[in-house]
Amino acid sequence: MNRYRGAGNRLAAFLSFVAFVLAAIVFVAGPREPLNVTAALVLIVIGLLIPQSLMMANQWERGVVLRMGRLDAVKGPGVFWIIPILDRVAAWLDQRIQTTEFNAEQALSKDTVPVNIDAVVFWQIHDAERAALEIADYRSGIERVAQTSLREMVGSSLLSSLLSERKHGDEVLRDEIARKISDWGISVISVEIRDISVPPALQDAMSRQAQAERERHARVLLGQAEQEVASKFVEAAEIYAKSPAALQLRAMNIIYETTKERGVTILMPSAMVDAMNPGGVLGLTTLATPPATPPKPVA
């Protein structure tokens, strides 16, 4: 978090170089008079002080300036001046969105199952002054808070909930981490759980459980289908009981559907043919059919 930016300031380095060149020109080219020597010395001192007083912050950076150990201002972005010796930039803070990876190894869930979880938190500094003054190392602090919050969430959740409600777990972690670091001037944007792993022996047991659950569901669906088919058969039996002719027509239709393929021969007992009474069925069909209207004579 803390780093000195004077050496990386190209503008300050250029101005310091110009001051040294002018000092050399005044000292070498001019006469050795006290005024010229004094001017050269002044230029040299200016060249030495420029890198210590002229600072430059990038668009996403803020510099926390302390004057004689007390907070003076938060400077940036752009160029700003500080008083050498009295002032110093205590910290340079990056206000872009940043990420911190954290994990929980062998954390016990509520049902005492050890799990390994990997996650990442996206965060951003919104108050540079508090981030610099309230905590010594906010990056390490965020990582420790995230790990602690993750273990607390795992310890209060069932394994099945962790696996099936991952989005809810992300929201719980985000709210918990944001609550704990809100006083640091840092806001949590989002938390994403990347991976949840369980022991291999438990994976095999969970696979068998899922297979048994799928088989149970399939048997339930098969039973429901059998129940629906049976109810339809009951309805059909009631219709056929009320109309013997419909039953006979259905039997004849079954025989037709069976024999419409070529090369198929069906042997039927004569008693079954007599029970169908095809002649009576045809008579009933004829009586049910309305007579055709004769054509009108043409005049």
Side-chain angles (χ1 to χ4, degrees), residues 115-268:
V115 295
N116 297 332
I117 301 180
D118 294 329
V120 59
V121 55
F122 297 83
W123 53 273
Q124 185 179 28
I125 297 175
H126 67 269
D127 190 337
E129 178 180 337
R130 295 172 66 184
L133 301 180
E134 297 295 334
I135 184 171
D137 187 353
Y138 56 82
R139 295 181 183 275
S140 177
I142 291 174
E143 182 179 0
R144 299 295 184 270
V145 168
Q147 287 180 344
T148 304
S149 301
L150 179 58
R151 287 187 173 273
E152 291 176 353
M153 187 198 71
V154 173
S156 60
S157 304
L158 298 175
L159 178 61
S160 57
S161 300
L162 292 175
L163 296 175
S164 61
E165 301 177 0
R166 186 172 296 188
K167 292 297 182 181
H168 177 69
D170 294 343
E171 296 176 359
V172 171
L173 275 178
R174 182 193 61 191
D175 296 340
E176 186 65 17
I177 296 174
R179 182 184 63 82
K180 292 181 178 179
I181 68 174
S182 59
D183 295 335
W184 303 350
I186 300 173
S187 58
V188 178
I189 298 174
S190 65
V191 177
E192 296 182 4
I193 297 177
R194 298 188 300 178
D195 182 48
I196 300 177
S197 60
V198 296
L202 184 58
Q203 291 180 10
D204 184 54
M206 294 174 63
S207 176
R208 292 196 302 269
Q209 180 183 0
Q211 184 177 0
E213 183 66 22
R214 287 193 297 269
E215 184 176 356
R216 183 188 68 84
H217 186 61
R219 290 179 179 273
V220 170
L221 292 179
L222 180 60
Q224 292 177 352
E226 291 290 342
Q227 184 179 3
E228 294 178 1
V229 170
S231 63
K232 294 299 181 181
F233 280 162
V234 171
E235 295 177 4
E238 293 177 353
I239 295 174
Y240 290 146
K242 296 177 181 179
S243 178
L247 177 60
Q248 293 175 357
L249 288 174
R250 178 57 179 163
M252 295 175 66
N253 182 67
I254 293 175
I255 295 174
Y256 168 74
E257 293 291 338
T258 307
T259 58
K260 68 179 181 180
E261 298 292 336
R262 294 182 180 180
V264 176
T265 303
I266 298 179
L267 299 178
M268 298 180 59

Side-chain angles (χ1 to χ4, degrees), residues 68-80:
M68 299 181 66
R70 300 176 64 87
L71 177 67
D72 179 62
V74 177
K75 301 295 184 66
V79 177
F80 61 93

